[in-house]
Amino acid sequence: MSVGENLIDLLESIDKEIDLAGRKKDEVKLLAVTKTVDVERIKEIKEFGLKEIGENKVQEIEEKYDALKDDFAFHMIGSLQKNKINKLLGKIKMIHSLDSLSLIEALDKRLANNNMELDGLLQVNISKEESKSGFYKDEVEEVLEQMHEYKNLHIVGFMTMAPFTEDEAVVRNTFRGLYELKEKLAAKNFDNVDLKYLSMGMTHDYKIAIQEGSNILRIGSKIFGERNY
């Protein structure tokens, strides 16, 4: 199937899940994950109203930025090494993968030095998988309490990845855990924090994510097909 056909099917599926969950269509954003996808194929999604894309590597953002910057806003969704921060500045709308205080501090400092601001999501390792980075659930509040120290990097929500498993209950508990954490902490007033976004749900688990409160879906394979890395 073509990119367009895949996207039509996906958008219909997302709308159906939103209806079943009793949510509003404008509550949920589809972020097209474009890692390893060439510029011309990415441009095919423009006619479907998609204006934001997610990349996992700084190098790919650099390579595609000039060709796509007029049509799409970039999100950084992969791990960011501190020595690559400068290459990213001014090129992204949001970073989903703030997984350590040292990264937050370094990013805020570079933003301040360049008179820039940026929205970011804390990556939360709800399932405590050793293979995944991110803050544990019981560390998040302490991080938010420290955000008043930073003026240029603003925390606007959380991101997580569920374990890759056929056990739907495990996936659901992961997403529900992050939603409940957001609701609990959103009721508190932290400086420089506005918990609006939950970035959770990918090609294999986006339906559960919609049911459990996600409002940013990171989907690639279901749009562009399976990719060989």
Side-chain angles (χ1 to χ4, degrees):
M1 293 174 72
S2 69
V3 169
E5 290 170 323
N6 287 343
L7 200 43
I8 288 170
D9 283 353
L10 175 60
L11 291 171
E12 287 179 353
S13 173
I14 289 172
D15 281 350
K16 180 181 177 182
E17 289 301 323
I18 290 171
D19 284 340
L20 288 172
R23 300 181 64 191
K24 297 175 183 176
K25 288 185 172 55
D26 60 0
E27 283 180 8
V28 183
K29 176 189 297 184
L30 172 58
L31 183 67
V33 177
T34 51
K35 64 179 178 181
T36 76
V37 181
D38 63 77
V39 164
E40 293 309 312
R41 289 182 71 222
I42 295 171
K43 287 182 177 179
E44 292 181 42
I45 71 174
K46 181 184 171 185
E47 65 182 278
F48 294 90
L50 296 189
K51 297 178 181 177
E52 303 188 25
I53 56 178
E55 285 285 352
N56 287 68
K57 295 183 178 179
V58 174
Q59 182 181 343
E60 281 204 66
I61 293 176
E62 287 186 292
E63 291 170 354
K64 299 171 185 178
Y65 182 74
D66 286 339
L68 297 174
K69 64 181 180 181
D70 293 334
D71 296 318
F72 300 98
F74 285 77
H75 291 230
M76 178 63 181
I77 62 174
S79 296
L80 176 61
Q81 295 170 295
K82 291 193 281 290
N83 62 356
K84 294 186 177 179
I85 287 174
N86 285 349
K87 296 180 178 180
L88 207 58
L89 293 185
K91 292 184 173 70
I92 61 170
K93 178 179 180 179
M94 185 184 293
I95 177 169
H96 292 229
S97 48
L98 296 171
D99 58 5
S100 70
L101 266 175
S102 62
L103 176 60
I104 290 170
E105 183 175 356
L107 186 50
D108 184 76
K109 185 176 181 179
R110 308 278 178 85
L111 288 164
N113 289 344
N114 289 275
N115 197 28
M116 294 177 177
E117 297 187 26
L118 181 65
D119 288 343
L121 308 178
L122 295 187
Q123 181 170 341
V124 186
N125 188 352
I126 290 284
S127 53
K128 292 192 173 182
E129 289 179 271
E130 290 186 7
S131 61
K132 289 189 172 75
S133 58
F135 298 100
Y136 288 156
K137 189 175 178 179
D138 55 6
E139 297 174 324
V140 171
E141 184 168 359
E142 185 177 344
V143 175
L144 297 182
E145 286 173 345
Q146 295 182 58
M147 286 308 300
H148 70 275
E149 299 175 18
Y150 310 107
K151 307 302 180 187
N152 296 70
L153 179 62
H154 314 296
I155 301 302
V156 294
F158 302 141
M159 181 272 268
T160 198
M161 289 173 280
F164 196 83
T165 173
E166 296 297 318
D167 189 339
E168 185 176 308
V170 171
V171 175
R172 189 175 300 282
N173 287 338
T174 300
F175 293 154
R176 185 170 292 173
L178 191 63
Y179 176 83
E180 290 173 348
L181 182 67
K182 180 184 85 79
E183 291 297 289
K184 172 188 168 186
L185 295 178
K188 301 188 177 187
N189 290 317
F190 301 101
D191 288 341
N192 196 24
V193 175
D194 182 11
L195 300 179
K196 297 184 289 188
Y197 298 112
L198 277 182
S199 172
M200 56 189 197
M202 298 161 69
T203 288
H204 55 284
D205 55 20
Y206 71 91
K207 293 181 180 180
I208 300 173
I210 291 170
Q211 294 162 20
E212 296 300 333
S214 173
N215 52 19
I216 302 179
L217 307 172
R218 308 183 308 275
I219 299 180
S221 299
K222 206 160 182 67
I223 300 172
F224 300 105
E226 294 295 331
R227 283 157 282 182
N228 297 315
Y229 303 120

